[in-house]
Amino acid sequence: MAKSRVARLITLFEQALEMPHAQRAEFLEQVTTEDAALGKELSSLLAAHESSPDYFERLAAAVPSAYAAVLDATPATARWEGRRIGAYRLVREVGRGGMSRVFLAERADGQFEQHVALKLLRPGFDTDIDVGHFRAERQILASLNHPNIARLMDGGLTADALPYLVLEYVDGSPVDRYCQTRALTTRQRLDLFLTITDAVEYAHRNAVVHRDLKPSNILVTADGAVKLLDFGLAKLLEQDQPGGTPATLTTYRWMTPEYAAPEQILGAAITPRTDVYQLGAVLYTLLTDRTPFGRHAATLPKLQAAVLTEEHDPLGSAFPADLDAVVSKALRKDPAERYASARELADDIRRYLTGHPVQARRQTLGYSARRFVVRNRLRVAAAAGTVLVLIASLTTAGIERARTRRALAVITSRGAIADSMTGVERELLAVSSAAERLTDTVAARRLLQRGLTEARARSAQPERRARLLDAVGRIHMKLREHDSAFTRFQDALVIRQRLAETRRGDDGTPVRANQRLVRPVTGASGDPLRLKLLFVRPPGTVFMVDEDGTDERRITDSTETMTSPAWAPEERVFVNRVSGVRGIYMINTDGTGLTQVTAPPSGWGDYQPVALGNQIVFGRDSAGVGTIYRVNLDGTGLTRLTSGGDAAPSPTGDFIIYRRGVDIYLWDLRRGGEKRLTNTPTRYKSVGGVSPDGRRIVFTRIDPGRREQIFLMNIDGTHTTRVSRGDFYDFLPRWSPDGKRIAFTSSRDGTNGVYTMRADGSDVRDVSRTPLTVAMRPGITVLDVNETLWAWMKY
Amino acid sequence: MKENTAHETIGELLRAVEHGDRAALDALFPLVYDELTVLARQQRRAWHGDLTLTTTALVHEAYLKVVGQRRIPSDSRAHFFGVAAKAMRHILCNHARDRRRQKRGAGAPHLGLGPGHDVVAQVELSDDQTDMLAALDEALQELERIAPRQARVVECRFFGGMSIDDTATVLRISPRTVKRDWTFAQAWLRRGMQAKLG
């Protein structure tokens, strides 16, 4: 529609709205007579307006909950997308490696439609990228101009000083998969391979060595064009390390070991012959659909030892001896015995294809003898306990040999360990940083085992044991094995806690953490039962108050920030400590005996602990993804239950009710497995609790256009009824011990306060003696804060 | 140190925006976008997983955090909220679009692979919400083409959670015009969305 017509339509629409309803039909008729199309437009707009005049107001009220759902679903890393880097806007992430993330990107200025691959490099675990070095190398790479090499188009530093490269975007499949899916003949595969060697030869003539040739770096597009990726990238990231570590090892750790040359494993000099070796390995794969040392690939150390000392697996009887000789010559352990260049390798293949004798076979004389010597030289070295021992027994890709040797010595020696314990941790962490790829994981896991064995053997040295467990936990984190990591951290925490408790006994007798003095339950001694509520007053102090609002007592130190109080067994209180050392703690109601129970790893938070018998159920959350855990009161036995939040246990302890996304689920603790109770995806919910008779669930729900309100439903998800009356912001509902009343927080009179009501919503009573005001920061006019958390107990 | 630098940059950008620099607005956008995302995440965590964030509070917080205590002209402040509203729209609508794309693809898994190739439990935007947001975004794009000012009003009011008066300040139009634009835009979008959602 033309703009002038739109302007006219808007004017007519506004005129129509201004006139009395009765006149509109006539007006519409008039417009239609003049301009039938415009009349139709106007009519449909007026109909839409009248069908639900406040449609968007109600929709807008749902925006926060939609926004929250988005956050829950979006990994923290996703924020790169849509971002502008240089002249490019990132469209989406298309790949991720140990040292880079690759995005599909487009020109942000829209000057021309062009998709590029933007490679964001990240420094290694313990290295920073030297910008000068990066720039110099980039210039060299940019000079490569070959039809079979993905072009480097641009590059620079992001605002956060991360280097990035802009490369030609290649939409293709890895060369090995291409050969398989198209079932290419050996001849066709060799032709493809010759194209690859020509590109490598071109780069060598320009003094650029690839260093990381492997099928996944060689793409073939749908129309058969070959493109080599990541030329010289390994070199670009190479850094000379302090302490004499060979620079080549710092990048080797990122590489795929199946295609690594022996000199790369050993950290020796890289030459064009390194590429020749890798070309040989690629050729081997193209011919056989296997890797040269696939037989030994069960573990990384075995694989590396095989690359250094064993013959590659034979090509097989299907291949002529000449071809076998070519591959073998490219795969020699000693670079000096390989083809001197990619060109020589290509020439030999061309000889084979044209029926000429290959160069590779002329050298067989004496080769066996030499090979024998090489193999034995390496074995002698192994016996002497140098390089090979380390490689075969422990090292993962690229750990500097000297440091690894030190780590090995420290970990395995049972005797007195000097003050190098932090050194051990550093070694373990260094290993973990190399463990971002699956192939590295095997070796890392081996190291984990050793670390764990060592930790177990250290029962007499609890401090060291805890530190080892921490280090092992951190490696698990690096391996993204969060559950295992938590278990280790937890074990370490428990050890430290015991240690602290032991030290605290000043009369010399050790005080165990789980033998803490607790006051007897007063109800048991015949006192009348009194209902006590826990609540938090901003910014984070936990109080206890009687049901009628009297006898208010402060529990936690006002300098601390605590949230999520809940009653714990033996008249103690769970709190979630946000200040200082974060985690879930237990504290006595008189404010003594603050004891840490859980320790979330850095970047994670624990919240909403609730008692389940002698255990705690709580949520652990990172970047909006929540997980529900169960743990013993002494911090041991951390177990993952399911993903979600707001967990509330049943009175009998055989299931929990929780929220995932916006819906409510039931998790069977006996048998495992979940059941979905609600299915209203546009209504955000939060679980309050299960009634003492185990038959009903109290929860809150935000309906479109309404505030958060309290609802009840049966335990099987049926019979949902609204309890809240009026249109206040009611939340955090909790059952009274007799199941007759519900306590809740509500924003009546513009402030948050604690109230109780009957389970049918009648008889609302104000508990908080004084309104619980919310601390407002200047400049903020609207805040919904539910810092007021509380629970019931028999007192 | 790094944060100070960011503040400087944002201050400069806001000034440039004020002088009508269109490129500065583009550059400001990802910064505000990031800030909003990070902030919302922190809030979600701080409030122990309960849903209490509101659009308005979020944008105000972002404003305080990004601009800090520095005194800046109120016009720049208005620009900030305008940019923030746009950022909110992108955050929601991009997500909705991606979700739809995934859903329409083969076998939408409940557990998905995150960019780090680790399995993440995807707490999901509901299909209704997704479809609604996607339809809204499409209709809004159409409106943008024919009536850009009215579309901006929708961004501020709907995605930025702004009042009529705040919207008027941001867009430098009278509150009366905001009201009129808002009424027309609603009818337009409602009609477009009805056609899409059926």
Side-chain angles (χ1 to χ4, degrees):
Chain A
M1 204 188 307
K3 276 205 170 166
S4 58
R5 258 178 100 68
V6 174
R8 172 116 179 88
L9 178 65
I10 293 173
T11 313
L12 291 172
F13 175 78
E14 282 166 2
Q15 276 174 2
L17 288 193
E18 266 163 29
M19 58 185 63
H21 207 274
Q23 289 174 27
R24 275 190 211 169
E26 198 188 318
F27 178 70
L28 197 56
E29 216 171 271
Q30 219 175 354
V31 174
T32 312
T33 322
E34 282 172 30
D35 185 335
L38 203 60
K40 209 176 149 202
E41 284 276 343
L42 182 59
S43 156
S44 66
L45 277 179
L46 287 171
H49 173 77
E50 274 165 26
S51 68
S52 46
D54 60 347
Y55 180 74
F56 278 89
E57 308 279 6
R58 286 189 285 119
L59 218 53
V63 165
S65 64
Y67 194 61
V70 169
L71 285 173
D72 278 356
T74 317
T77 48
R79 65 198 178 98
W80 281 101
E81 271 135 52
R83 206 165 161 152
R84 190 174 160 156
I85 293 181
Y88 303 90
R89 180 167 290 130
L90 305 185
V91 177
R92 66 167 186 276
E93 186 163 336
V94 290
R96 184 183 278 215
M99 58 185 174
S100 64
R101 293 164 66 177
V102 187
F103 295 87
L104 175 68
E106 61 191 10
R107 293 282 299 197
D109 53 18
Q111 280 185 345
F112 39 91
E113 278 274 321
Q114 189 186 21
H115 277 123
V116 296
L118 192 145
K119 193 157 208 151
L120 199 60
L121 306 177
R122 48 180 184 198
F125 172 72
D126 50 5
T127 57
D128 279 318
I129 286 174
D130 176 334
V131 175
H133 174 79
F134 173 77
R135 289 205 173 114
E137 288 292 334
R138 200 185 73 200
Q139 283 316 110
I140 297 168
L141 294 184
S143 69
L144 290 183
N145 186 7
H146 188 276
N148 299 115
I149 295 175
R151 210 152 43 87
L152 179 69
M153 300 160 72
D154 200 351
L157 296 176
T158 68
D160 312 327
L162 288 178
Y164 67 90
L165 297 171
V166 180
L167 301 144
E168 183 184 353
Y169 181 71
V170 181
D171 189 9
S173 43
V175 64
D176 53 345
R177 216 190 309 148
Y178 180 86
C179 291
Q180 281 167 32
T181 52
R182 307 220 165 189
L184 297 190
T185 63
T186 298
R187 169 77 208 213
Q188 286 170 315
R189 291 174 193 224
L190 286 172
D191 283 340
L192 210 54
F193 182 74
L194 285 173
T195 313
I196 298 167
T197 48
D198 287 349
V200 174
E201 169 67 17
Y202 166 83
H204 287 178
R205 271 188 276 123
N206 286 278
V208 178
V209 180
H210 192 295
R211 297 166 177 242
D212 197 13
L213 285 166
K214 56 190 174 188
S216 63
N217 270 340
I218 304 165
L219 298 188
V220 188
T221 64
D223 49 10
V226 177
K227 292 277 184 188
L228 271 63
L229 308 183
D230 289 354
F231 238 105
L233 200 67
K235 178 80 190 308
L236 200 66
L237 289 175
E238 195 171 289
Q239 298 290 307
D240 279 309
Q241 294 295 297
T245 303
T248 47
L249 269 178
T250 60
T251 48
Y252 167 63
R253 74 164 73 152
W254 300 116
M255 293 176 44
T256 314
E258 274 92 345
Y259 295 92
E263 63 267 34
Q264 290 180 299
I265 293 173
L266 292 169
I270 305 297
T271 69
R273 290 182 196 230
T274 307
D275 278 358
V276 169
Y277 178 93
Q278 296 189 329
L279 281 171
V282 169
L283 176 59
Y284 184 98
T285 303
L286 292 190
L287 292 172
T288 63
D289 295 335
R290 288 180 280 125
T291 54
F293 297 93
R295 224 157 24 96
H296 306 278
T299 66
L300 184 63
K302 268 193 195 143
L303 178 64
Q304 292 177 325
V307 170
L308 292 171
T309 62
E310 302 291 336
E311 251 338 278
H312 62 78
D313 302 344
L315 276 184
S317 54
F319 297 94
D322 274 0
L323 209 47
D324 192 52
V326 170
V327 171
S328 298
K329 186 168 167 65
L331 287 175
R332 292 282 143 78
K333 315 284 181 211
D334 184 348
E337 288 182 358
R338 292 177 207 147
Y339 292 106
S341 66
R343 156 76 59 82
E344 272 191 32
L345 168 60
D347 286 348
D348 232 4
I349 290 171
R350 289 196 175 95
R351 276 188 209 103
Y352 164 78
L353 288 172
T354 52
H356 294 84
V358 297
Q359 279 242 292
R361 294 198 78 181
R362 291 195 199 143
Q363 287 192 333
T364 41
L365 192 68
Y367 167 58
S368 304
R370 265 205 304 282
R371 196 181 55 192
F372 178 79
V373 171
V374 168
R375 287 178 60 176
N376 279 281
R377 196 160 62 210
L378 287 160
R379 289 210 169 119
V380 167
T386 53
V387 180
L388 262 182
V389 165
L390 298 166
I391 287 163
S393 64
L394 174 89
T395 192
T396 68
I399 297 307
E400 304 90 300
R401 280 169 297 162
R403 289 173 68 184
T404 309
R405 196 185 301 136
R406 233 191 305 131
L408 188 65
V410 174
I411 293 173
T412 51
S413 68
R414 294 284 163 95
I417 296 180
D419 53 348
S420 57
M421 210 51 181
T422 51
V424 175
E425 290 184 15
R426 221 182 306 122
E427 301 305 334
L428 295 177
L429 278 170
V431 169
S432 74
S433 76
E436 298 204 356
R437 288 206 200 166
L438 192 67
T439 39
D440 294 345
T441 314
V442 180
R445 187 149 293 133
R446 212 179 151 105
L447 181 64
L448 283 174
Q449 267 168 13
R450 284 166 167 273
L452 211 54
T453 311
E454 186 59 22
R456 288 202 185 104
R458 293 227 164 267
S459 52
Q461 295 164 289
E463 252 176 29
R464 282 182 180 160
R465 187 181 195 175
R467 262 189 283 182
L468 273 167
L469 287 170
D470 271 345
V472 169
R474 262 176 247 142
I475 293 180
H476 278 301
M477 286 295 282
K478 294 278 180 184
L479 292 169
R480 300 180 188 285
E481 295 166 354
H482 297 134
D483 285 358
S484 308
F486 296 157
T487 311
R488 300 298 162 235
F489 289 140
Q490 210 67 39
D491 290 348
L493 175 71
V494 170
I495 291 168
R496 292 211 174 89
Q497 250 179 25
R498 296 240 164 89
L499 216 57
E501 293 283 345
T502 310
R503 284 196 191 116
R504 221 173 283 157
D506 38 293
D507 58 347
T509 33
V511 182
R512 300 307 295 246
N514 46 9
Q515 293 173 345
R516 199 176 302 101
L517 266 180
V518 289
R519 289 182 297 156
V521 177
T522 44
S525 62
D527 285 3
L529 288 175
R530 290 190 58 81
L531 288 170
K532 288 271 187 190
L533 309 176
L534 295 169
F535 66 91
V536 179
R537 199 165 266 158
T541 313
V542 176
F543 290 85
M544 176 170 73
V545 68
D546 277 16
E547 184 190 16
D548 57 7
T550 59
D551 195 21
E552 180 181 302
R553 291 184 212 173
R554 182 171 58 77
I555 296 179
T556 63
D557 199 311
S558 51
T559 58
E560 294 274 6
T561 307
M562 307 285 195
T563 63
S564 310
W567 291 107
E570 297 172 332
E571 224 177 281
R572 279 174 290 165
V573 175
F574 294 134
V575 288
N576 178 28
R577 186 176 177 191
V578 182
S579 54
V581 181
R582 296 179 315 132
I584 290 167
Y585 286 69
M586 275 194 294
I587 190 169
N588 296 322
T589 49
D590 59 4
T592 62
L594 184 69
T595 314
Q596 188 172 11
V597 183
T598 73
S602 155
W604 294 67
D606 288 346
Y607 60 90
Q608 285 187 335
V610 283
L612 173 70
N614 257 333
Q615 291 193 310
I616 310 173
V617 172
F618 67 98
R620 182 166 277 177
D621 177 291
S622 175
V625 178
T627 309
I628 299 168
Y629 285 88
R630 170 153 85 164
V631 68
N632 294 328
L633 291 185
D634 62 0
T636 61
L638 184 74
T639 317
R640 181 186 186 278
L641 292 177
T642 179
S643 66
D646 299 351
S650 75
T652 48
D654 46 7
F655 62 85
I656 56 167
I657 303 292
Y658 58 100
R659 172 188 58 80
R660 180 184 306 139
V662 301
D663 276 306
I664 295 173
Y665 294 77
L666 180 150
W667 178 268
D668 189 327
L669 290 168
R670 299 240 163 95
R671 275 162 288 176
E674 71 182 17
K675 187 182 155 196
R676 188 179 183 147
L677 299 181
T678 68
N679 195 358
T680 47
T682 52
R683 293 159 187 213
Y684 201 98
K685 299 163 206 81
S686 181
V687 175
V690 183
S691 64
D693 62 5
R695 289 162 63 182
R696 288 190 295 176
I697 298 166
V698 66
F699 65 101
T700 67
R701 195 170 87 184
I702 304 172
D703 290 349
R706 299 199 70 98
R707 297 178 188 189
E708 190 168 356
Q709 305 266 275
I710 296 168
F711 287 77
L712 284 179
M713 69 178 169
N714 288 345
I715 201 74
D716 58 0
T718 62
H719 202 69
T720 301
T721 51
R722 179 166 161 242
V723 180
S724 287
R725 298 185 181 181
D727 189 20
F728 301 109
Y729 188 63
D730 296 341
F731 51 102
L732 292 165
R734 300 287 186 265
W735 289 100
S736 68
D738 60 6
K740 287 184 178 153
R741 292 184 75 81
I742 294 168
F744 62 103
T745 307
S746 180
S747 62
R748 287 150 204 253
D749 314 322
T751 53
N752 285 338
V754 181
Y755 299 82
T756 70
M757 63 185 171
R758 283 209 200 100
D760 63 1
S762 66
D763 188 29
V764 175
R765 288 187 211 164
D766 187 351
V767 177
S768 43
R769 230 171 5 156
T770 50
L772 304 170
T773 51
V774 172
M776 292 241 213
R777 267 183 264 175
I780 302 178
T781 49
V782 181
L783 262 185
D784 294 331
V785 180
N786 63 349
E787 272 289 0
T788 320
L789 274 173
W790 59 294
W792 294 81
M793 88 173 283
K794 278 181 181 177
Y795 194 76
Chain B
M1 179 66 200
K2 205 168 146 191
E3 220 163 68
N4 283 340
T5 320
H7 282 180
E8 288 307 319
T9 317
I10 286 167
E12 277 160 30
L13 286 173
L14 277 168
R15 267 191 297 280
V17 167
E18 207 186 340
H19 291 112
D21 184 345
R22 173 88 198 123
L25 204 60
D26 280 350
L28 188 62
F29 181 76
L31 298 175
V32 175
Y33 184 99
D34 276 7
E35 201 52 59
L36 279 171
T37 317
V38 169
L39 203 70
R41 236 178 256 295
Q42 283 170 353
Q43 284 208 351
R44 294 266 302 146
R45 209 170 309 155
W47 304 145
H48 28 80
D50 278 302
L51 173 73
T52 57
L53 49 92
T54 70
T55 311
T56 320
L58 204 62
V59 176
H60 276 83
E61 285 253 10
Y63 177 76
L64 283 185
K65 195 162 171 217
V66 169
V67 179
Q69 299 305 312
R70 287 146 12 84
R71 276 190 303 179
I72 63 160
S74 60
D75 272 10
S76 298
R77 189 172 165 275
H79 274 300
F80 180 91
F81 288 115
V83 170
K86 204 179 258 306
M88 298 292 285
R89 173 185 167 189
H90 276 256
I91 290 169
L92 281 180
C93 294
N94 285 348
H95 182 75
R97 252 200 311 278
D98 284 350
R99 291 276 315 133
R100 266 157 67 95
R101 214 177 289 134
Q102 285 166 22
K103 273 253 163 21
R104 305 298 182 259
H110 240 71
L111 284 175
L113 285 181
H117 305 301
D118 47 343
V119 177
V120 292
Q122 288 179 343
V123 181
E124 294 174 358
L125 204 63
S126 73
D127 288 1
D128 283 2
Q129 287 172 322
T130 316
D131 290 346
M132 188 273 285
L133 282 172
L136 175 63
D137 193 38
E138 270 179 52
L140 194 53
Q141 280 175 28
E142 280 167 34
L143 184 64
E144 235 158 7
R145 275 195 291 278
I146 59 146
R149 192 187 68 210
Q150 282 82 349
R152 289 290 288 136
V153 168
V154 175
E155 271 179 354
C156 292
R157 296 276 288 131
F158 187 83
F159 292 102
M162 287 181 209
S163 67
I164 299 263
D165 287 349
D166 285 351
T167 308
T169 313
V170 169
L171 300 181
R172 299 184 191 192
I173 51 181
S174 71
R176 203 179 112 76
T177 309
V178 172
K179 267 187 221 163
R180 289 208 330 255
D181 286 353
W182 180 227
T183 308
F184 172 78
Q186 284 185 61
W188 173 278
L189 295 174
R190 182 91 183 97
R191 187 183 63 166
M193 287 171 70
Q194 270 166 349
K196 286 183 185 73
L197 295 173

